[in-house]
Amino acid sequence: MHPQRLETPTTPEDLGPREYIALIDVNSFYVSAERVFDPTLRGRPVLVLSNNDGCAVALSKEAKALGIKMGEPWFKLAASADRMNLVAKSSNYELYGQMSDRFIGVLRDCAAEVQQYSVDEAFVKLRGTLPELLSWARMVRDRIWKHLGLPVCVGIGRTKTLAKMSNRAAKKLDHLNGVCVWEAVPEAHRDQLLSNLPVDEVWGIAGRMAKRLAGRGISTVKDFRDADPVMLRDRFSIVIMRLCLELRGTPCLPFEEETEIKGQLIVSRSFSEPVTTRAEMAQVLSLYAQRASARLQRHHRQAKTVTAWAMTSHFHAEGAHGPSLKVTLTSATADPVTLTKTAKLLLPKLEEGVRYARAGIVLTDLQKTGLEPTFDLFTDAHEERNIGPLIESIRKKLDQPAIGLGAAGLKAGQAWEMKREMRSPRYTTHWEELPVVRAV
């Protein structure tokens, strides 16, 4: 986005109270979460690494200014890190998850209808005049900074797509101070901005679709907004037509207040060291099954079909080996015992000594808990005793490794678990890693 100046009218036309959508997102969320508990990182180039300390998945603006790109491998940067004053952090998912929950909690205190879109983004449904919207956006920005220490940008528009567009303007144009209400910007300035933006800046349009649109003479966001919606539907898809209408201010994307698991639930991870025995893989599958159970419990869901798989590296000397197993259960469940036993049915298909680099569990045929009546014939004894909710309640009260089923309940980390050699303390979830403050 070009550093073009957008001005807010001194006396914006008061259209009366109307319905709007706000998008609030945290700037460089992983880096910002690290800086909350380590102020020495502020102003320094910081990057957060992917699983097993592989590559950069989050960058501070100072790191971007050094020319570091998203996805750049750490091994290429490590040697020059000291010279660049660059700080690298391993992914601290426990910390990020907690800060995300707190971020959404503050938003729910500020608005009645909130839809969490991702770990660092949320849509909010609002009603008000333009001056009221500007005041609300600044209040939210200031409150999140005061209570959490997280910098956010707020974009407000008549639709989700316009909220995304205005949020991007708030993020890129410094003079807006992190807040942009689309309809409070003069129309001529909006048109000029959209004329300078390539069409792939539209939320939902990626590179391949942008090339197809360019073939029809649609190269900027303004071209796309002004295109014939019927032509877009016939030449491309109804989804593309809806995005065009959204840019014109016609809501086409539903606001879903309840965040829920849709379609399938996947728990998988690459290992820091290969797993070569069935005994080790039994622990992996047990741990993943219990994580999947906990997520189902939180979202009040049950699964009818369980798929478990393991895979060697694509560069495996004897060729890739990827055994898998799919099981349809008698009845839908979120019980960790049942899911663990089912996942372990994969073990006989594994070959001892083979170096498996990744494994996972996929739950499908999801349904709401209690949607179908459960007959006594199919009732699982563990589910009757609420084993899953009991485990989850103990973990919330104590910490994640406090309790588990079988081998997955071991507290000691295993060699195959994710490598995070530069992880910061899990300040908000582990008693032994609480920050220490000393009076001087």
Side-chain angles (χ1 to χ4, degrees), residues 12 14 16-18 20 126-139 156 181:
D14 190 348
R18 300 176 68 184
Y20 291 89
L126 301 170
R127 181 176 178 82
T129 62
L130 297 183
E132 289 171 343
L133 296 173
L134 282 166
S135 176
W136 182 90
R138 290 165 181 157
M139 177 274 294
I156 299 178
V181 178

Side-chain angles (χ1 to χ4, degrees), residues 5 56 75 88 99 120 134 159 198 204 206 238 247 281 330 333 364 421:
R5 188 172 183 84
F75 74 86
M99 295 304 290
D120 62 342
L134 282 166
T159 67
I238 193 170
L247 280 174
M281 190 63 76
T330 305
T333 184
T364 51
E421 295 179 348

Side-chain angles (χ1 to χ4, degrees), residues 382-398:
H382 308 104
E383 207 145 29
E384 279 188 329
R385 297 168 186 164
N386 291 320
I387 297 295
L390 174 62
I391 291 175
E392 189 66 11
S393 66
I394 294 173
R395 284 175 173 170
K396 284 182 178 180
K397 187 174 181 180
L398 300 176

Side-chain angles (χ1 to χ4, degrees), residues 180-363:
C180 179
V181 178
W182 193 249
E183 290 196 2
V185 176
E187 185 176 359
H189 290 192
R190 284 181 266 159
D191 285 349
Q192 185 180 359
L193 174 66
L194 297 184
S195 297
N196 292 331
L197 290 175
V199 70
D200 59 6
E201 290 283 351
V202 177
W203 179 40
I205 294 182
R208 183 177 298 179
M209 178 56 68
K211 291 179 181 178
R212 292 182 59 196
L213 289 167
R216 302 288 302 179
I218 302 172
S219 58
T220 70
V221 177
K222 186 176 184 298
D223 294 336
F224 181 69
R225 184 199 64 183
D226 297 340
D228 179 8
V230 176
M231 180 275 294
L232 293 174
R233 182 196 64 191
D234 294 342
R235 295 285 183 177
F236 301 98
S237 70
I238 193 170
V239 173
I240 297 300
M241 181 190 77
R242 287 172 178 165
L243 289 177
C244 172
L245 294 175
E246 285 254 321
L247 280 174
R248 297 182 179 190
T250 301
C252 298
L253 303 177
F255 186 93
E256 301 168 334
E257 184 176 359
E258 181 185 2
T259 302
E260 60 182 40
I261 302 171
K262 296 181 179 180
Q264 63 181 6
L265 189 158
I266 302 174
V267 179
S268 73
R269 186 119 341 136
S270 297
F271 307 136
S272 60
E273 294 184 14
V275 170
T276 59
T277 68
R278 291 194 182 101
E280 284 183 305
M281 190 63 76
Q283 185 178 5
V284 172
L285 295 174
S286 297
L287 184 62
Y288 289 3
Q290 290 174 62
R291 288 177 179 172
S293 170
R295 290 178 62 184
L296 288 176
Q297 303 278 356
R298 286 197 297 272
H299 291 275
H300 308 290
R301 293 292 182 272
Q302 295 177 321
K304 186 76 178 290
T305 303
V306 179
T307 302
W309 56 270
M311 185 177 295
T312 60
S313 167
H314 294 294
F315 304 103
H316 191 254
E318 299 178 2
H321 177 58
S324 64
L325 178 78
K326 183 175 182 179
V327 178
T328 300
L329 304 172
T330 305
S331 59
T333 184
D335 175 52
V337 178
T338 302
L339 296 178
T340 299
K341 287 181 177 179
T342 305
K344 284 185 174 182
L345 295 176
L346 174 69
L347 296 177
K349 292 192 171 189
L350 303 179
E351 297 180 13
E352 288 282 345
V354 170
R355 296 167 61 84
Y356 294 101
R358 188 178 180 89
I361 292 175
V362 183
L363 304 181

Side-chain angles (χ1 to χ4, degrees), residues 105 214 375:
F375 299 102

Side-chain angles (χ1 to χ4, degrees), residues 107-122:
L107 288 182
R108 294 194 187 281
D109 288 339
C110 299
E113 297 181 80
V114 178
Q115 177 195 343
Q116 184 172 359
Y117 179 64
S118 68
V119 69
D120 62 342
E121 290 180 282

Side-chain angles (χ1 to χ4, degrees), residues 76-102:
K76 290 185 177 181
L77 299 169
S80 54
D82 289 341
R83 176 178 56 81
M84 295 188 292
N85 196 30
L86 177 65
V87 178
K89 292 288 185 180
S90 301
S91 296
N92 190 340
Y93 297 116
E94 297 89 343
L95 175 64
Y96 308 150
Q98 263 285 318
M99 295 304 290
S100 175
D101 291 343
R102 295 181 182 190

